[in-house]
Structure formats: structure tokens, C-alpha cells
Amino acid sequence: MTAARLCIPVLVLLAISGRAGARAEETPLGRFEATVELPKEGPYVGEPLRLKLRSAIHARVATDRIVQPGLTDFDWQQFGVDASSEAFIDGFWLPVHTRTLMIYPLRAGRLTIEPFKWRLAYFSDDGARTEMEMVSEPLTVDVRSRESLGDSEFWLPATSLRVIDHWDPEPDRIPVGEMSKRTVTVEAEGLTADRLPPLPRFRAPGVITFAGPVERQTIVTDQGPIARAVYQWTVRPVSTTPAVAPAIHLRWFDIAARRMRDSSVPERRVAFIDSLPPPQSDDAGKSRGFFSAQPLLASLLGFISAGAAAYLAAATETGSGRRSWRRRVRTWGLLLSLRARARREDAGGFRETLRKLSKAEPERWRRVAARADIASGLAAMDAAVFSREPASPPVALAVLARKITAAFRAAE
């Protein structure tokens, strides 16, 4: 009798727990699914694909977490933050959360995306907390090889691509002795900035280039990511002889049209303003080494003597003559400063003095800078001054200063 009384509540509890478990499994609470957007003929290796995870539940969620499979055959990254919306599901308006991943197949063949899992805890109508797990269906993707598209140095699949080439100042209007800054901006829709190509090659005979850092940015939009990369160079002609900056070509795969395309910027002429042809080699030979065998003191005395004579002559001249005299004094003062900078091996100060000299005497400077031996020395010095890596001047500044001073005297 006693044993029978003890068994009754046990059987009741088992019956209640069994009905509760059945109700939790059979009641449709919501949905969880994974989908991939695929082109009709199948994607190529490395092509960006959009994978979406949609979750909805007819209950008050306490905690939830999406467990992602390994994705060993794909490179992937989450795109943006989870989006929220509402949808009519199973007779109810339910909040729907969407997570977007960009996945990139790593090899050709039939690839499988294993199921995602949505683990959550929710509150029932009576306030009880229940934990459950929803599992998406596995997905298969047939990926094609890129061999049929031909050889390409860098695989660049995008919905659209734009290339902008900007020079400041214009490449054929560079002031004598100055430089131009070139900026190439690439914008591609449908992929992230880390997948844009590295710095393009930009080398040309007769041009010195110094590459700057690459700036990358991914812009998140409702239609997908937009990748932007900014490439920069500082450009200087080697001499007054015009040079040509070659065209830059970017081959890319048009995801919408399913074919390869080419975007490019044309070649540009690079030259100083009003570049003059280099003088004859005989004239250049006559101007070599005027002060090379003279000590600095003799040069200074000669300068003072010439200045005194010019001053006496200028006393009876017109105002334009006096202005010419002042310009001449300033020019030879800069030349003396140039040689002083050279003795101290101050390459930066040497370059700044040359800049002032080119502005003070632009016509004479163009003729002086056109000499082959001087142009090569200036180019080597600029490489040392403007290079990002510190280096000693590759030319003897004292020798270069003497050549410039002699050339200026010959150009009078």
C-alpha cells in the first residue's frame, strides 16, 4: 500500500515532463537558414560571393549565438553589422536578423559549406527559460577555374571599376627644379580594399619617382562594399629634355558581364615649363671647371672686384640698370652660399639654395640645368634628398657647386 502511494507522483511527473518535451520540439518557433548568391554559370576561384544568414523566432530571446563552420575551402570576412527587419512567417510578423559574409572560393571543384548553428535561449509565455539550437541546411557550390580567362598579373573581380589620374602641377607644366605629385585613385564595387592590387609599377627613362604609402578604405553600402585605394608618387624630370610617363593598365573581371575588361590611364608627357633643348657639347665643355683650380679666396676677391666695378657703372645708369645690378648681386650671393653648403655637405640646404637660384634667374638656370653633367648630378642629389631611406649624397656637392657656378658665369 505504501509502495503504491509513492509511485503515483513519480508517474505523474514523468508524464508531465514528457508532454512538455514534445511541445517544445513540435511547436514551430521560427526559422534559421543560410543562402549563397551565385551567378548562373557558376563562380570562378577567388570571386566574391555573398552568403546570408537569416534568423527569426516567435519568442522573446534571452541570448543567442551563431556557430560558424570551418569554411576550409573559402576565404571569408563579415560584411558590415547584422541588419534587422520584419517578415510575415508562419502567420506572424517576426523580427528577422540578417548577417552577411563575403566568401571567396580558394579552389575549383564542388565545394561544400557545412551547416551553421543558431544556439539561443528564449522565454516562453509562462516566463520559463528554454535553450535550443537551430541548424541550417548544408550548401554546395560548383567553382570554376580561371584558366579560361587568360593570364592576369592580379585577379581583380568587381561589379565596376574606376581609375582617376591626378597631377599637381600638370606633368608638362612643372616649374624648373620642382616636382609634381601624382595621385592615382582606384575604386571598385563589390569587394573590400584589401583585395585591390599593390602599388602599380611606375618607372620611365628620364623621370625620377618616389613612391608614397598606399591608402586603402572599404566603404559599406546597402548594395555591397566599395573598395578604394590611393597610390601616390613624387615625380621629377631628370633634365630639361621631356620624358614620357607610361600608361597604367588594370585588367579586371566584370562580375555582372562575366568577362575581362581593361581600365587604364593614358601616358603623359613629363617636362619642365618651357623646356629648352640641351646645349651643344662643345659649349658645355668650354664652361667646365672655371673655378675648379681656383681657391675660394680668389673667387671671393674676383666677385668683390666685379661688384665694385659694376657699382661705379650703375651710378650713372637708369633704374632698370640698377635693378639688373641688384639681381646680379643676389645671384652671385646665392652661388657663394651654394658653395658654402657644399663644403658642409648640407644636401638639404644645397637643394633649397638651388630652388632660390632657379627663381632668381629662371632663364639662366634652365640653360645651366640642361647640361648633361649637371643634370645627372642634380638627379642623383634629389634621389638622396627625397628618398625615404636615409643615404649620403651620391655625388660630391663641392664638385657640383663648382660646375654650376662656372656654368652660370658662362651663361651671362
Side-chain angles (χ1 to χ4, degrees):
M1 184 68 179
T2 304
R5 290 177 182 175
L6 292 174
C7 290
I8 290 174
V10 175
L11 293 174
V12 172
L13 290 173
L14 290 174
I16 293 174
S17 63
R19 287 195 298 272
R23 188 183 301 113
E25 292 177 359
E26 295 171 2
T27 302
L29 292 174
R31 294 184 182 179
F32 178 61
E33 62 180 3
T35 58
V36 179
E37 299 175 3
L38 298 173
K40 293 182 179 179
E41 67 275 23
Y44 289 98
V45 174
E47 181 175 344
L49 305 175
R50 196 191 307 262
L51 185 149
K52 289 188 175 182
L53 303 172
R54 299 176 74 248
S55 57
I57 186 171
H58 185 57
R60 187 159 54 96
V61 177
T63 61
D64 70 319
R65 180 169 65 95
I66 294 177
V67 180
Q68 181 174 306
L71 296 176
T72 55
D73 291 325
F74 298 86
D75 193 3
W76 67 274
Q77 56 192 152
Q78 184 171 341
F79 173 62
V81 298
D82 294 353
S84 299
S85 61
E86 286 191 351
F88 194 73
I89 301 175
D90 297 330
F92 301 96
W93 282 100
L94 301 181
V96 178
H97 299 279
T98 303
R99 175 175 297 181
T100 302
L101 302 179
M102 301 300 294
I103 61 174
Y104 307 84
L106 297 177
R107 63 179 181 86
R110 173 160 290 189
L111 309 183
T112 301
I113 300 175
E114 299 296 334
F116 288 78
K117 298 178 181 180
W118 186 29
R119 294 174 181 171
L120 69 156
Y122 66 92
F123 295 104
S124 58
D125 295 338
D126 57 2
R129 178 188 172 101
T130 305
E131 296 183 357
M132 66 177 301
E133 182 180 88
M134 294 186 183
V135 182
S136 68
E137 295 292 332
L139 303 172
T140 58
V141 181
D142 292 320
V143 182
R144 298 191 293 170
S145 171
R146 297 199 303 262
E147 293 181 357
S148 60
L149 300 177
D151 295 333
S152 180
E153 185 177 358
F154 191 87
W155 173 243
L156 186 58
T159 305
S160 66
L161 188 135
R162 184 172 64 150
V163 184
I164 303 172
D165 189 20
H166 176 72
W167 295 73
D168 183 26
E170 287 298 312
D172 57 350
R173 305 288 296 172
I174 302 175
V176 176
E178 299 297 323
M179 299 187 178
S180 178
K181 183 177 181 180
R182 185 183 194 182
T183 304
V184 175
T185 304
V186 178
E187 290 186 352
E189 295 185 15
L191 72 162
T192 52
D194 60 297
R195 296 184 176 274
L196 289 176
L199 187 74
R201 294 191 182 94
F202 177 25
R203 293 181 180 177
V207 175
I208 300 176
T209 60
F210 306 100
V214 180
E215 301 175 6
R216 299 177 184 270
Q217 179 186 13
T218 299
I219 304 171
V220 178
T221 69
D222 294 337
Q223 291 73 34
I226 299 177
R228 176 180 297 162
V230 180
Y231 310 95
Q232 297 178 345
W233 298 267
T234 302
V235 183
R236 182 190 185 281
V238 171
S239 66
T240 55
T241 302
V244 176
I248 296 178
H249 293 270
L250 284 179
R251 282 182 52 79
W252 61 284
F253 178 70
D254 189 334
I255 294 176
R258 311 302 298 170
R259 67 186 184 90
M260 297 295 296
R261 295 186 183 273
D262 181 86
S263 294
S264 63
V265 292
E267 64 180 25
R268 297 294 303 272
R269 180 178 180 269
V270 182
F272 292 124
I273 298 176
D274 299 331
S275 294
L276 298 176
Q280 298 295 325
S281 58
D282 292 342
D283 294 338
K286 293 177 183 178
S287 64
R288 283 197 186 105
F290 180 81
F291 285 104
S292 59
Q294 310 261 355
L296 181 60
L297 181 59
S299 300
L300 183 59
L301 291 175
F303 167 74
I304 295 174
S305 300
Y311 178 79
L312 293 175
T316 57
E317 288 183 351
T318 62
S320 61
R322 286 192 293 272
R323 286 193 296 270
S324 176
W325 154 248
R326 287 195 296 269
R327 184 176 66 252
R328 206 172 302 166
V329 170
R330 172 174 169 77
T331 298
W332 286 105
L334 288 172
L335 289 173
L336 287 175
S337 174
L338 189 71
R339 299 186 68 171
R341 300 275 190 181
R343 287 196 306 274
R344 294 195 297 267
E345 296 186 354
D346 179 8
F350 191 95
R351 186 67 180 80
E352 176 61 20
T353 303
L354 285 181
R355 185 187 67 81
K356 295 177 180 179
L357 193 61
S358 66
K359 289 188 175 182
E361 295 278 1
E363 294 296 331
R364 292 171 69 189
W365 172 250
R366 274 194 287 269
R367 293 195 293 271
V368 169
R371 279 182 40 171
D373 56 339
I374 294 177
S376 61
L378 292 175
M381 182 196 63
D382 282 345
V385 173
F386 296 101
S387 176
R388 287 181 293 176
E389 298 181 359
S392 58
V395 294
L397 293 182
V399 175
L400 182 59
R402 286 196 298 270
K403 291 181 178 179
I404 293 174
T405 305
F408 254 89
R409 175 165 180 145
E412 282 186 327

